[in-house]
Amino acid sequence: MDTLAAAIEILTDKRNILIFSGAGISTESGIPDFRGPNGLWTRVDPEDFTIDRYLADSELRARGWRMHATGERWGAGDPAPNRGHHAVVDLWRHGRLIGVVTQNIDGLQQAAGLPSEKVAELHGNFRDSLCLDCGESWPTDVILARVAEGEEDPHCLKCGGLIKTRVVMFGEMLDPLTMDRAFHFLAGADALIVVGSTVAVYPASDVVLAAAFKPVPVVIINMGETEADHLAAARLDGPIGELLPALVGALPPTIQ
């Protein structure tokens, strides 16, 4: 079923909806996706996002910090939450959201007003950075200030170790505590809405597959096809900033 009415019918009696979000929910905030026609992979070699290459190549690290500082990597300026993020918060305020499992690293869902304990950031975030040797951590803005002062490849001032953001790179394991939170949300969910994800990245995609086999109804909202379309009870193709607020707004705020 590919209509908004079908999605509304499926979700009307659901009170523990899980959101699984990907890069597509944040593109309207000016943050590029990865695989789209203007995505990050059109400007950067995905191999540059492997942890082994990051550890071995100082020029790659320096280029990455420069791109981060200018906004070329994650979006210029100070991206703000958009209508899609606010619709998720409305779902929570209406008492229908159990949590958000996101592949995004931008923190915009929390910036829109959703409590951090309701979000599982599977791929980490770029708000914080850490030393890979001693584990010391800082807000990433602290590291970017050092870059602005002329340090091309900042190292830990405590032990001299390499610094990276908390974004999970290819070749790194997902944080097990974050995965536990994601599957805790799923255990209590009675429906899943996939928002802005092609469901193509493993192991994050396991959350969607597990929901379908639980089974709970899966509603997909995305621009273009996804790897989970065959699992969807309803699929909506179009702008998330239009479709998700319309869907959430059509659901009664409370369930008697």
Side-chain angles (χ1 to χ4, degrees):
M1 294 187 289
D2 298 321
T3 68
L4 181 60
I8 293 169
E9 180 180 354
I10 290 166
L11 298 174
T12 291
D13 64 346
K14 303 299 186 287
R15 64 169 66 241
N16 291 306
I17 298 171
L18 177 62
I19 297 285
F20 181 89
S21 62
I25 197 174
S26 293
T27 53
E28 292 181 34
S29 294
I31 296 177
D33 61 13
F34 292 89
R35 294 169 177 80
N38 299 308
L40 188 62
W41 296 157
T42 65
R43 302 189 304 276
V44 179
D45 183 355
E47 290 296 318
D48 287 349
F49 279 77
T50 61
I51 186 62
D52 288 345
R53 184 174 291 188
Y54 185 85
L55 295 175
D57 191 338
S58 61
E59 175 52 36
L60 183 148
R61 295 193 299 272
R63 185 167 69 249
W65 288 118
R66 288 196 302 270
M67 292 178 67
H68 197 343
T70 61
E72 185 179 353
R73 173 162 286 181
W74 308 123
D78 188 14
N82 61 54
R83 293 173 295 175
H85 298 109
H86 289 296
V88 173
V89 175
D90 288 342
L91 193 67
W92 169 63
R93 289 175 175 155
H94 293 171
R96 289 178 171 271
L97 180 76
I98 195 168
V100 172
V101 176
T102 186
Q103 299 169 279
N104 294 343
I105 57 178
D106 51 51
L108 291 182
Q109 194 58 76
Q110 297 93 312
L114 194 66
S116 293
E117 61 267 21
K118 286 291 183 182
V119 184
E121 295 176 307
L122 294 183
H123 294 161
N125 67 75
F126 60 67
R127 299 184 303 277
D128 301 305
S129 294
L130 78 160
C131 172
L132 295 176
D133 287 345
C134 72
E136 186 80 9
S137 62
W138 315 264
T140 297
D141 285 346
V142 171
I143 307 304
L144 292 180
R146 291 171 58 184
V147 173
E149 291 171 359
E151 291 187 64
E152 290 192 345
D153 180 19
H155 282 52
C156 178
L157 298 178
K158 181 178 178 180
C159 75
L162 293 179
I163 296 173
K164 70 177 288 290
T165 67
R166 289 193 181 274
V167 174
V168 177
M169 304 185 80
F170 296 127
E172 289 189 287
M173 298 289 291
L174 301 189
D175 176 54
L177 294 179
T178 304
M179 288 296 288
D180 286 348
R181 175 182 288 188
F183 280 93
H184 174 74
F185 290 153
L186 178 60
D190 55 12
L192 173 70
I193 306 176
V194 176
V195 183
S197 174
T198 59
V199 199
V201 178
Y202 172 85
S205 59
D206 281 352
V207 175
V208 179
L209 298 177
F213 288 103
K214 188 182 173 183
V216 299
V218 176
V219 173
I220 295 177
I221 305 176
N222 193 58
M223 291 279 284
E225 297 179 350
T226 82
E227 296 293 321
D229 286 350
H230 63 291
L231 303 175
R235 188 193 181 289
L236 308 179
D237 194 326
I240 292 163
E242 295 178 11
L243 291 173
L244 187 58
L247 174 58
V248 171
L251 299 175
T254 57
I255 303 173
Q256 301 299 328

